[in-house]
């Protein structure tokens, strides 16, 4: 019997924006990809520093279905903090400044993700001068435990390569 | 104490003006063009009026001031890079005469710390430098009280001009050039703001912190420095979307010195606004200690000089 038909139970931890309909939006990819919902723990009282609400979802699915669910959640722009055994425990936010559009922002992000195994959770771009001018992007990454520093080193190297400025978080001492 | 004040800019003049209130006598006051010297005490107001009218405090020479009768040399000439002259030479002259030295000038202790401490060891005089880091804020004396070995890191906002520019950009959604021009109109920024906005001034203060924390000689060339010049307003807007802001932060940790724009929590302790400064000390046994206040200004920095004079042995 191949693994693909073996149904297992999984837990995903999500971080949802506090607005109506968001929970439903997060749950539909699970049903659509054949997952069977077991329980939903919605921690309304426990808001993250950014004002988001942590939600823990237990489900049953085959490994293939589960991979599809996690990908679909991320495609929906839902922040997956933890998926199955894979824990994304460290977050890193940087602001990049420079000719981001001209230097191919998606390539920049791809290079960062592939070199570090980090996941880009959130991206916000501001290009008031248009594609040719100086723009800024805020990038939030999640990395495996202890991976933030090496992700930062990769970001510095990629930025150096593309002549971008990196505004790094001040990590020590204060919780960013 | 009898004070010889060399340098009659905002800080030197304020020290001379406030000295009497703190029980001291000014026996010499010098600027780059001349000096006034009197072992019984000079007429400070008269000297400063003469400077306004004639461009210099008096007709004696700086050498006369350094050779005169005083217990403490207050070195308040402008900070220079490289050889840190004439500040370093003034410090040397006073220590070789076994006089105490209180510095407001960052140059000698940011660029030639080892030599200054060597001269101090050979002298009966002591060297204090509270005023060189964070104006009125008691940063170096706090480090001395805790013991440098019990401080694991120091970080903070150490330049009022850069902080003014960034906090105005964040609050008003304006661009760098616009806010800088406004700061220049208000007299917060110099006509040539490079020293502040390129991070040099903050870096010199971090170098001094590193020298004191690790008791070895660092200079500006040991610091990784990035300024805030031409930072777009959009960078601050994006930071604000996520509850953060950007400040020019200097850090001294694990023997490394870094200055650059950093993302910090919008409502965190380090997000001071305007020309306010803050230094956060990470202590070994007492967690974080924040010292905030006016990091520059004549009377403000003069209070740090006068506090140092109070620490000197008679």
């Amino acid at each position: 019997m191949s693994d693909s038909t073996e149904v297992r139970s999984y837990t995903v931890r999500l971080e949802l924006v506090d607005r109506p309909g968001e929970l439903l939006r997060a749950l539909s990819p699970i049903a659509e990809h054949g997952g069977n919902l077991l329980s939903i723990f919605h921690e309304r009282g426990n808001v993250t520093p950014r004002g988001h609400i942590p939600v823990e979802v237990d489900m049953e699915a085959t490994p293939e279905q589960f991979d599809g669910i996690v990908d679909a959640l991320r495609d929906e722009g839902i922040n997956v903090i933890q998926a199955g055994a894979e824990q994304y425990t460290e977050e890193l936010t940087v602001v990049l400044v420079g000719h981001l559009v001209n230097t191919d922002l998606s390539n920049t992000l791809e290079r960062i993700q592939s070199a570090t195994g980090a996941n880009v959770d959130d991206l916000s771009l501001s290009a008031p001068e248009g594609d040719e001018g100086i723009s800024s992007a805020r990038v939030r990454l999640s990395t495996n435990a202890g991976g933030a520093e090496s992700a930062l080193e990769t970001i510095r190297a990629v930025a150096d390569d593309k002549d971008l400025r990196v505004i790094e978080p001040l990590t020590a001492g204060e919780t960013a | 104490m009898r004070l010889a004040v060399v340098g009659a800019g905002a800080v030197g003049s304020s020290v001379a003006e406030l000295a009497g209130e703190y029980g001291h006598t000014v026996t010499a006051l010098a600027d780059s063009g001349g000096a006034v010297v009197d072992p019984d005490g000079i007429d400070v107001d008269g000297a400063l009026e003469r400077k306004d009218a004639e461009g210099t405090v008096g007709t004696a020479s700086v050498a006369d001031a350094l050779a005169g009768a005083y217990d403490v040399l207050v070195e308040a000439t402008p900070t220079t890079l490289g050889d840190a002259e004439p500040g370093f030479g003034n410090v040397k002259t006073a220590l070789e005469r076994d006089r105490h030295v209180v510095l407001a000038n960052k140059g000698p202790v940011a660029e030639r710390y080892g030599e200054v401490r060597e001269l101090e060891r050979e002298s009966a005089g002591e060297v204090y430098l509270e005023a060189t880091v964070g104006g009125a804020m008691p940063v170096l004396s706090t480090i001395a009280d805790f013991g440098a070995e019990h401080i694991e890191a120091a970080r903070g906002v150490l330049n009022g001009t850069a902080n003014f520019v960034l906090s105005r950009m964040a609050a008003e959604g304006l661009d760098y050039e616009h806010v800088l021009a406004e700061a220049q109109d208000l007299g917060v920024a110099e006509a040539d703001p490079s020293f502040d906005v390129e991070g040099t001034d903050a870096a010199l203060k971090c170098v001094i912190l590193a020298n004191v924390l690790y008791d070895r000689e660092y200079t500006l060339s040991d610091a990784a420095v990035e300024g805030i010049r031409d930072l777009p307003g959009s960078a601050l807007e994006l930071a604000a979307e996520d509850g953060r802001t950007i400040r020019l932060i200097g850090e001294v940790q694990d023997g490394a010195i870094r200055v650059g724009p950093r993302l910090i929590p919008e409502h965190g302790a380090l997000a001071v606004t305007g020309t306010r400064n803050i230094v956060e000390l990470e202590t070994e046994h007492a967690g974080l200690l924040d010292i905030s206040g006016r990091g520059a200004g004549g009377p403000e920095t003069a209070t740090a000089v006068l506090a140092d004079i109070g620490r000197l042995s008679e």
Side-chain angles (χ1 to χ4, degrees), chain B residues 27-85:
Chain B
T27 52
L29 177 62
D31 57 33
S32 55
V36 51
V37 182
D38 185 338
D40 297 322
I42 64 159
D43 169 12
V44 172
D45 292 342
L48 293 175
E49 277 165 26
R50 204 153 46 242
K51 184 174 174 64
D52 279 343
E54 296 163 29
T56 180
V57 290
T59 51
S61 71
V62 179
D64 294 335
L66 289 167
Y70 58 90
D71 305 301
V72 187
L73 171 72
V74 175
E75 220 303 327
T77 61
T79 296
T80 53
L81 302 180
D83 65 1
E85 293 291 0

Side-chain angles (χ1 to χ4, degrees), chain B residues 161-202:
Chain B
T161 302
N163 203 63
F164 178 89
V165 170
L166 288 174
S167 55
R168 286 285 293 164
M169 284 174 70
E172 308 294 333
L174 297 168
D175 266 322
Y176 171 84
E177 290 297 340
H178 184 116
V179 176
L180 181 64
E182 181 194 74
Q184 285 168 327
D185 287 345
L186 289 170
V188 173
E190 306 279 339
D192 176 6
S194 320
F195 197 63
D196 297 310
V197 299
E198 284 171 7
T200 314
D201 174 67

Side-chain angles (χ1 to χ4, degrees), chain A residues 170-174, chain B residues 151-155 206 209-210 213-214 218 250-258 280-283 288:
Chain A
L170 188 71
T171 45
E174 240 180 321
Chain B
I151 305 292
E152 290 171 342
R155 61 183 73 88
C206 287
L209 280 170
L213 286 174
Y214 306 119
Y218 289 86
E251 297 172 76
V252 180
Q253 187 163 22
D254 302 328
I257 306 165
R258 291 211 302 171
E280 187 170 87
L281 299 176
E282 201 175 306
T283 68
L288 294 179

Side-chain angles (χ1 to χ4, degrees), chain A residues 50 93-95 97 124-126 128 134-138 140 156 165-170 172-176, chain B residues 155 226-232 234-235 238 241-242 244 246 249 251 253 258 261-265 268-270 288:
Chain A
R50 281 187 313 282
T93 298
V94 297
V95 172
V97 177
S124 187
L125 177 72
S126 174
I134 297 286
S135 49
S136 307
R138 177 170 45 77
R140 176 150 49 88
R156 286 180 197 137
R165 284 172 82 171
V166 185
I167 300 172
E168 298 177 14
L170 188 71
E174 240 180 321
T175 43
Chain B
R155 61 183 73 88
E226 194 195 335
I228 61 159
R229 195 186 278 280
D230 298 326
L231 203 68
S234 57
L238 290 176
E241 277 179 15
D242 209 26
R244 291 157 211 237
I246 298 171
I249 305 281
E251 297 172 76
Q253 187 163 22
R258 291 211 302 171
R262 298 268 180 271
L263 278 173
I264 58 168
L270 294 181
L288 294 179

Side-chain angles (χ1 to χ4, degrees), chain A residues 66-108:
Chain A
F66 182 68
D67 286 345
I69 288 166
V70 172
D71 287 347
L73 286 168
R74 290 195 172 130
D75 289 347
E76 283 289 318
I78 289 158
N79 190 14
V80 181
I81 302 289
Q82 180 190 335
E86 203 183 5
Q87 285 210 22
Y88 287 93
T89 50
E90 272 193 55
E91 281 201 342
L92 174 68
T93 298
V94 297
V95 172
L96 301 174
V97 177
H99 290 278
L100 293 166
V101 182
N102 288 349
T103 58
D104 193 350
L105 183 58
S106 47
N107 167 270
T108 304

Side-chain angles (χ1 to χ4, degrees), chain A residues 4-99:
Chain A
S4 60
T5 56
E6 190 187 340
V7 173
R8 299 178 186 179
S9 47
Y10 291 96
T11 301
V12 290
R13 269 183 79 78
L14 310 173
E15 205 185 34
L16 299 184
V17 180
D18 189 7
R19 66 176 172 236
E22 202 61 13
L23 183 60
L24 185 62
R25 200 168 75 83
L27 297 180
S28 19
I30 299 174
E32 281 162 19
H33 287 78
N36 179 31
L37 280 170
L38 295 175
S39 74
I40 300 157
F41 182 50
H42 195 201
E43 302 176 53
R44 274 215 70 91
N46 184 14
V47 175
T48 67
R50 281 187 313 282
H52 294 175
I53 298 169
V55 177
E56 203 167 272
V57 181
D58 291 333
M59 71 186 87
E60 286 176 335
T62 66
E64 281 78 9
Q65 283 170 332
F66 182 68
D67 286 345
I69 288 166
V70 172
D71 287 347
L73 286 168
R74 290 195 172 130
D75 289 347
E76 283 289 318
I78 289 158
N79 190 14
V80 181
I81 302 289
Q82 180 190 335
E86 203 183 5
Q87 285 210 22
Y88 287 93
T89 50
E90 272 193 55
E91 281 201 342
L92 174 68
T93 298
V94 297
V95 172
L96 301 174
V97 177
H99 290 278

